[in-house]
Each structure stands twice: as structure tokens, then as C-alpha cells.
Amino acid sequence: MRATKEYIEKKFNEYNVLCFGGQLQPLPIRLSRARTFLGQVAYTRRRKLNGTWHYQNFEFRISTLIDMPENIVEDTILHEMIHYYILSNQLQDTSSHGRLFRTMMNDINKRFGRHITISHRRTEAEKDGDTQKRQHLICVVRFNDGRVGITIAASTRLFDFWDRIPKAVGVAECKWYVSTNPYFNRYSRSIKPKVYGIADEILQEQLRDARRLIRNGDTISVARNS
């Protein structure tokens, strides 16, 4: 499912009473198309004289980019409500997901049969549900032992990766492509060379509409016959 503002508000009010004793104040809710987070509590902060922070101007953000199971959406809302509880009560945790957060998370999971986690690992179905078209700069790496992998480069790292990856131990060949195939959304854009293993037959299928990249000195362009 992809949550609506009405759904998030309903669940917020329900869990506020059930899990937080009705202590949380309503806050603005915004739907996002972010792919870097499922949920987020945005805020501003100012440093107090004693060196701690005062948090204010809260906003609840839930990403609707990916079609997720309802229980994951609910756990995401609860995850962010724990953050909101800690921040709005000006409590000082040991880190973003520190001792206080983990204690509250474990307590809610135990008392209400939830499965809130620190981070969410996307399932294959969720990855397939990310159908947004984005440009991907893809290095196909073939190793001497026959393995095949890909690196999705951040645009700012393209030239650096072009030079560095072929020099890595065991690399036999590198070829570069540009593609807007949503299949590649499942891979993070790297700022450090990171090769993800992939079956060659799957790779060839997903690269069918990709365009080959070539380099001429300080210029990288699409090959004419790609």
C-alpha cells in the first residue's frame, strides 16, 4: 500500500493513545517521494546554554515511492513516533537510535506484537515496486574467475571510477552504460567503488535498452552505435 495523509493521521492518533498514552501533539504530515528513507521526523534545533539541544518545528514525513505491505507502513509510522516522542520531550539519547530509542522500540514490540526495527531491508517485492525512472551510470565488471558485477556510480564519481575500477585486483574487463531502467533503482549510487554481484543472464536482460558509454580524454559520451 501507499499511505495517504488521512491514513497516517488515523494511525498516528490510534498509536498515540495505545502506545504513548496520548502524550504526542498533532504535527504536520507530508507525503514524500524520497527513496533514501521510509519515514522521517524533520525538525529544527537550537543549542542551549548547557550544550544540549532544544528541538522544535516538527514535521512527519512518510515516503510513498514504494508500494509496501501495510504492516511495514504501520511499523514505519511507529518508528518515527518514537523519534518524535524523544525529541518533542527534549530527551537526550545516546545517538539517533540510542539506548532510549531501542528501549522504547523493544517495549512496544513486546507489548503490542509489532516488528519495529532500526532500519528496514527492502524485500524483492518492494524493490520491484520502485518503478521511478532515474538515470543510472553503470559499470559492468567482469572478473578473471568469470564472476560478473555492477557498480552504479554517482555522477560526481564517474571519471574517478572509470580510472580506478579496471585497476582493481582480479578485474578482467569494464564496460560502462547509461540506463533509466527502474530495475537498477535497487542499487545504491556509490561514492566509493562497490561491486554488486549479478547473474549474467539477468544483467543482459536488464541492459537491453541501455546505451554504451565511451570516453575520449576528458569527455564521456554515448557511443553512436549503442
Side-chain angles (χ1 to χ4, degrees):
M1 68 169 293
R2 287 182 168 88
T4 62
K5 286 185 178 181
E6 292 75 19
Y7 177 88
I8 297 170
E9 183 176 352
K10 175 184 174 183
K11 289 298 178 180
F12 180 94
N13 293 334
E14 175 185 330
Y15 294 139
N16 188 19
V17 174
L18 184 65
C19 304
F20 299 91
Q23 298 180 54
L24 298 178
Q25 295 298 312
L27 74 170
I29 295 172
R30 185 163 71 87
L31 302 182
S32 169
R33 295 286 293 173
R35 61 186 309 275
T36 55
F37 63 82
L38 297 183
Q40 183 185 78
V41 175
Y43 55 86
T44 59
R45 66 178 186 174
R46 59 178 176 81
R47 189 179 290 277
K48 298 190 291 187
L49 293 177
N50 63 3
T52 61
W53 295 99
H54 177 82
Y55 303 97
Q56 59 191 0
N57 301 325
F58 300 102
E59 182 180 79
F60 215 66
R61 299 174 182 174
I62 298 293
S63 177
T64 60
L65 178 64
I66 301 172
D67 189 357
M68 295 185 297
E70 185 172 10
N71 66 303
I72 299 297
V73 176
E74 292 175 334
D75 286 342
T76 298
I77 293 171
L78 277 165
H79 178 117
E80 300 310 323
M81 290 179 74
I82 296 173
H83 280 306
Y84 180 43
Y85 179 91
I86 293 171
L87 294 167
S88 62
N89 283 285
Q90 309 303 323
L91 303 176
Q92 307 296 313
D93 205 351
T94 55
S95 65
S96 177
H97 296 104
R99 295 175 185 172
L100 179 55
F101 182 95
R102 291 170 184 265
T103 297
M104 294 183 65
M105 178 186 74
N106 292 334
D107 179 63
I108 291 173
N109 283 341
K110 182 178 180 180
R111 287 195 295 138
F112 302 104
R114 304 304 314 185
H115 298 89
I116 310 166
T117 58
I118 297 299
S119 61
H120 174 66
R121 185 180 295 276
R122 291 196 296 171
T123 66
E124 287 302 314
E126 290 168 7
K127 292 175 183 177
D128 291 339
D130 184 353
T131 58
Q132 184 181 44
K133 284 197 171 185
R134 305 167 63 236
Q135 179 174 279
H136 301 285
L137 301 170
I138 306 164
C139 180
V140 176
V141 184
R142 296 188 180 275
F143 294 92
N144 292 324
D145 60 7
R147 290 179 298 123
V148 180
I150 61 173
T151 293
I152 310 295
S155 59
T156 57
R157 308 299 292 175
L158 179 57
F159 283 92
D160 180 45
F161 284 12
W162 199 294
D163 291 333
R164 291 176 60 187
I165 295 176
K167 298 176 183 177
V169 176
V171 172
E173 180 187 55
C174 292
K175 291 183 178 180
W176 283 89
Y177 299 86
V178 59
S179 172
T180 57
N181 184 347
Y183 174 84
F184 295 105
N185 291 352
R186 66 192 62 213
Y187 299 104
S188 298
R189 292 180 176 179
S190 301
I191 58 174
K192 295 182 179 179
K194 181 176 182 179
V195 179
Y196 298 93
I198 185 172
D200 199 16
E201 59 273 18
I202 294 176
L203 177 60
Q204 296 308 315
E205 172 67 19
Q206 301 302 333
L207 285 176
R208 281 191 307 170
D209 298 324
R211 294 173 294 167
R212 180 77 184 277
L213 294 176
I214 58 173
R215 181 175 178 180
N216 183 12
D218 293 333
T219 302
I220 294 174
S221 59
V222 175
R224 290 185 179 181
N225 60 349
S226 63

